[in-house]
Amino acid sequence: MRKFKITAVMFAAVLPLAACGGTSSTATTVAAGCTPVVSGVETATKGKLTMAVAEYPPYVSMKGGALSGVDGEVLKRVAKDLCLEPDAKTSSFTAIIESVKNGSVDLTAGNWYINEERGQQFAVSKPVYLDKMALLTSNGADTIDGVSGGTVGTPQGYLWVGDLQKTLGTDKVKLYATEDAVYQDVKSGRAGAGVMTYGAALQLVKNNNDNKLKVAELKPDERVQASVGAAQTAVLVNKDKATLRDAVNQIVEKMREDGSLKKALEDNGLPGTAADVKAAAGS
């Protein structure tokens, strides 16, 4: 969800949207005598870490009322290390952005890409992990020029949409409301290829037990700047909660050092090397 500019009308049509104000997690209880790794962190609700997330596996999910996915593991670790009760709700992307901005929830995570606009509207964490663009095709193409005839589909709102349109022509780039809609058209042959995040493409193929469509990392192409290097993802924190943002940075770095971030990536079908954010060049 990460991966497109924030505008007034298009925050995240890029993903399947969950109903606003959906599932809430209440199962976890803070251990008695818990000592937070960072003191003085203020949250919207005393004793709780409130979070708004989308239903976007393998990055984040609330199946069964519990946070899962790589970003879900990060959020659970933040709450645990700060001795806070995690209170997560699923929502639409527009509602997520607004709730974090107005402070009704503390933060969000779920493959949000770092860009200048987000830095102006949120207290953005340091990079958590890397993410890459992918091509979903029947022929295994890993370059834009290698895509067979027809249209290329991509969810609307991504940072790369304009570059794709300039490279291929507006008439060859079809915009969709969700990644699943892109997948369905590629599967049926109505689109020659799908362009989306690597993790999302893998998840779609897995969910549909698809052994025909192939997922390939898009090779760097200067015409599509988002493909050059790897994008860096972050936790978005309410602008007035810089102390919480700093605590998130400290905890994520601990996860990187102890290997739990790499494990969370691998457990969710993503490359463990994505935890090495220093590998991002040109992103």
Side-chain angles (χ1 to χ4, degrees), residues 114 181 197 272:
I114 295 173
T197 68

Side-chain angles (χ1 to χ4, degrees), residues 210-274:
D210 193 329
N211 58 9
K212 293 183 178 179
L213 293 184
K214 300 174 176 61
V215 178
E217 287 187 7
L218 180 62
K219 287 186 175 178
D221 188 322
E222 294 292 339
R223 298 170 299 176
V224 183
Q225 278 300 301
S227 71
V228 180
Q232 299 174 322
T233 71
V235 177
L236 305 185
V237 182
N238 174 263
K239 188 77 171 178
D240 296 329
K241 295 185 173 71
T243 303
L244 174 58
R245 185 269 319 279
D246 294 343
V248 168
N249 288 338
Q250 182 174 325
I251 293 165
V252 168
E253 197 55 39
K254 284 178 60 180
M255 293 183 70
R256 203 182 318 280
E257 293 171 356
D258 65 24
S260 56
L261 179 57
K262 178 183 177 184
K263 184 177 186 301
L265 286 160
E266 293 174 341
D267 287 348
N268 287 281
L270 299 168
T273 53

Side-chain angles (χ1 to χ4, degrees), residues 53-69:
V53 298
E55 194 63 37
Y56 188 30
Y59 304 110
V60 66
S61 179
M62 283 286 291
K63 289 183 179 179
L67 281 163
S68 62

Side-chain angles (χ1 to χ4, degrees), residues 106-153:
D106 299 309
L107 49 73
T108 185
N111 201 39
W112 291 97
Y113 283 12
I114 295 173
N115 63 33
E116 184 177 350
E117 289 181 63
R118 290 186 181 142
Q120 295 171 353
Q121 299 189 52
F122 303 96
V124 180
S125 76
K126 292 181 180 178
V128 178
Y129 60 86
L130 306 180
D131 193 43
K132 291 189 175 183
M133 293 177 66
L135 280 175
L136 180 67
T137 65
S138 59
N139 65 0
D142 58 6
T143 67
I144 294 296
D145 293 331
V147 173
S148 57
T151 60
V152 171

Side-chain angles (χ1 to χ4, degrees), residues 32-146:
C34 181
T35 302
V37 298
V38 177
S39 60
V41 173
E42 295 185 0
T43 58
T45 302
K46 186 176 177 60
K48 291 185 177 183
L49 182 67
T50 57
M51 302 165 272
V53 298
E55 194 63 37
Y56 188 30
Y59 304 110
V60 66
S61 179
M62 283 286 291
K63 289 183 179 179
L67 281 163
S68 62
V70 59
D71 289 275
E73 294 302 317
V74 170
L75 292 175
K76 287 192 292 185
R77 177 69 174 267
V78 170
K80 179 174 181 273
D81 284 7
L82 293 179
C83 301
L84 296 170
E85 188 77 26
D87 184 5
K89 293 180 174 64
T90 54
S91 185
S92 73
F93 283 93
T94 302
I96 288 171
I97 291 296
E98 290 306 312
S99 62
V100 177
K101 284 175 64 177
N102 66 31
S104 58
V105 301
D106 299 309
L107 49 73
T108 185
N111 201 39
W112 291 97
Y113 283 12
I114 295 173
N115 63 33
E116 184 177 350
E117 289 181 63
R118 290 186 181 142
Q120 295 171 353
Q121 299 189 52
F122 303 96
V124 180
S125 76
K126 292 181 180 178
V128 178
Y129 60 86
L130 306 180
D131 193 43
K132 291 189 175 183
M133 293 177 66
L135 280 175
L136 180 67
T137 65
S138 59
N139 65 0
D142 58 6
T143 67
I144 294 296
D145 293 331

Side-chain angles (χ1 to χ4, degrees), residues 25-30 76 84-86:
S25 65
T26 58
T28 304
T29 302
V30 177
K76 287 192 292 185
L84 296 170
E85 188 77 26

Side-chain angles (χ1 to χ4, degrees), residues 12-17 153-156 158 174-185 195-196 204:
V14 299
L15 309 170
L17 300 185
T154 192
Q156 58 187 330
Y158 278 83
K174 186 176 180 181
L175 302 183
Y176 295 78
T178 67
E179 280 144 327
D180 184 64
V182 175
Y183 168 81
Q184 295 299 335
D185 267 16
V195 178
M196 58 188 71
L204 284 165

